[in-house]
Amino acid sequence: MLQQILDEYGLRHAVDEDGDLTVRWEKCNIFFFYYGDKNEVLQARLYLNRRFSVDVRPTIVLMLDDWNRTKLFPKAYTVLPDDGAVGICAEQVFDFEAGATREQLKYTIGVWIDTLLRFAEWVDEQV
């Protein structure tokens, strides 16, 4: 159903080698992950393509702290992948164990994508 919703939004998507659903943009990628015994928890995680030197990580952390303090969502943080450069992630997550209508899920996915992409633009304005 998630792939159908992405199609309805006109978003090209693919399933990567790990089986994760991905939507790619020029500046970032959004991955969708399922968690829980019944895959009831859905997460959308944005990875910025841009990387930073480890030396500027403290500055980036302060910038993301400001975002997390002043915005309700998405949650943002740094990661340090194997390449040694600092990456920036943001994520939205919800536990759908109680259920949701298709319309609710579509609306949620649309809001998630919109706010994640707004976050990516905000980062570009900051650094």
Side-chain angles (χ1 to χ4, degrees):
M1 183 181 344
L2 181 53
Q3 291 184 44
Q4 292 172 350
I5 289 171
L6 294 174
D7 287 341
E8 290 169 18
Y9 280 119
L11 298 172
R12 291 187 50 205
H13 51 84
V15 177
D16 69 12
E17 59 276 356
D18 295 325
D20 301 319
L21 184 59
T22 308
V23 181
R24 299 185 188 285
W25 282 268
E26 181 180 332
K27 297 179 183 182
C28 62
N29 301 313
I30 296 177
F31 291 83
F32 292 90
F33 303 106
Y34 293 98
Y35 299 99
D37 294 336
K38 301 173 191 169
N39 288 334
E40 69 276 13
V41 177
L42 178 60
Q43 178 189 63
R45 187 182 311 153
L46 173 140
Y47 290 92
L48 289 180
N49 294 336
R50 190 172 172 192
R51 303 290 187 162
F52 302 88
S53 165
V54 173
D55 297 339
V56 298
R57 190 174 195 184
T59 303
I60 293 170
V61 167
L62 289 174
M63 177 188 76
L64 297 179
D65 282 352
D66 186 55
W67 172 272
N68 288 325
R69 186 176 42 263
T70 60
K71 306 290 190 258
L72 292 176
F73 48 83
K75 173 177 72 174
Y77 51 91
T78 63
V79 293
L80 193 58
D82 293 339
D83 65 5
V86 175
I88 296 178
C89 293
E91 65 183 46
Q92 302 274 33
V93 64
F94 191 78
D95 185 340
F96 288 99
E97 185 173 9
T101 66
R102 188 179 195 292
E103 291 79 23
Q104 289 169 322
L105 183 59
K106 182 175 180 179
Y107 177 79
T108 298
I109 297 303
V111 168
W112 285 3
I113 290 170
D114 180 62
T115 57
L116 288 166
L117 294 176
R118 286 177 193 230
F119 169 78
E121 290 299 320
W122 178 83
V123 169
D124 272 354
E125 293 168 3
Q126 303 302 307
V127 290

